[in-house]
Amino acid sequence: MDVTKTLEDIQNQIKEIQDGRKDKLSMVVFSGDLDKLLAAFIIGTGAVAMGMEVVMFFTFWATPALRDKKKKGKGKNLFGRMFSFMLPKGASQVKLSKMNMGGMGTGMMKYLMKKKNMQNLDGMIALAAELGVKIYVCEMSMDLMGFKMDEMIDYPDMKSVGVATFLQEASDSKIQLFI
């Protein structure tokens, strides 16, 4: 066995993998909890600030955070209406994953964020839009929960896609995250 040759082959394979990846972050946003959504947008906007392209794929419990509280989806069946009633409508209604304590913990967190001049979740979403972060919303989650694109927030680069589209984006990304 030629160790030098084997080492060269491995180095070439690593270089091929590194060359095929873009300076891009692809993130699955699964959680609908305030703290996790904030983390997702902080990481996403931070990556854009570092010159990276960012794609966020919202699925399952994260999807309701993108609903506009002023809009109403039309043509929903019974289950769609139930999901619309039971789940948060927009970023301002999401709660902490821990220490919510009937809303007291969430209120305390929002108060402290405001006192320390930190962006709230709505502000982070607006910043992400301004910086060009792409948001993909999972078609299957939308269909399952009966949500429609016409009830989502106005966001310049948001569209409903299947998982294959997101995986295609993620396949050439340097960083992939799941939150």
Side-chain angles (χ1 to χ4, degrees):
M1 179 175 174
D2 184 2
V3 175
T4 306
K5 171 86 173 112
T6 303
L7 183 59
E8 257 178 47
D9 289 344
I10 291 171
Q11 287 174 334
N12 287 335
Q13 288 173 357
I14 289 171
K15 187 168 178 20
E16 283 178 25
I17 291 169
Q18 288 174 336
D19 290 345
R21 299 217 171 169
K22 293 180 183 174
D23 221 10
K24 182 164 68 172
L25 164 67
S26 296
M27 182 180 340
V28 174
V29 185
F30 179 84
S31 173
D33 296 321
L34 175 62
D35 44 327
K36 294 173 186 173
L37 288 165
L38 281 169
F41 278 100
I42 289 168
I43 292 168
T45 55
V48 171
M50 292 177 62
M52 297 179 82
E53 180 185 346
V54 176
V55 177
M56 298 171 80
F57 181 69
F58 278 70
T59 188
F60 282 93
W61 309 121
T63 307
L66 298 175
R67 294 168 62 208
D68 189 324
K69 60 184 169 191
K70 297 176 194 153
K71 296 179 182 175
K72 196 172 186 174
K74 296 177 181 148
K76 294 185 175 197
N77 63 20
L78 175 65
F79 292 108
R81 288 191 304 268
M82 288 174 66
F83 272 115
S84 290
F85 176 73
M86 292 185 293
L87 293 172
K89 192 167 188 175
S92 63
Q93 292 186 351
V94 297
K95 296 176 175 43
L96 288 175
S97 62
K98 307 269 188 218
M99 293 179 47
N100 185 42
M101 299 179 287
M104 198 167 68
T106 298
M108 189 171 68
M109 181 64 77
K110 287 179 178 178
Y111 169 78
L112 287 173
M113 288 172 61
K114 186 175 182 178
K115 189 174 178 182
K116 294 182 182 274
N117 293 322
M118 293 175 63
Q119 289 277 354
N120 62 20
L121 187 53
D122 285 319
M124 292 300 298
I125 293 171
L127 179 62
E130 190 177 309
L131 294 175
V133 172
K134 292 180 190 171
I135 291 183
Y136 291 169
V137 186
C138 176
E139 271 178 359
M140 187 193 74
S141 296
M142 296 274 289
D143 187 45
L144 182 70
M145 296 180 193
F147 296 146
K148 311 285 183 192
M149 282 305 285
D150 62 359
E151 68 182 293
M152 295 294 160
I153 59 172
D154 293 324
Y155 190 92
D157 216 353
M158 179 167 63
K159 59 185 171 184
S160 175
V161 301
V163 70
T165 301
F166 174 72
L167 290 174
Q168 189 174 10
E169 290 278 348
S171 67
D172 64 355
S173 300
K174 275 187 180 172
I175 301 171
Q176 298 102 18
L177 298 175
F178 184 94
I179 295 180

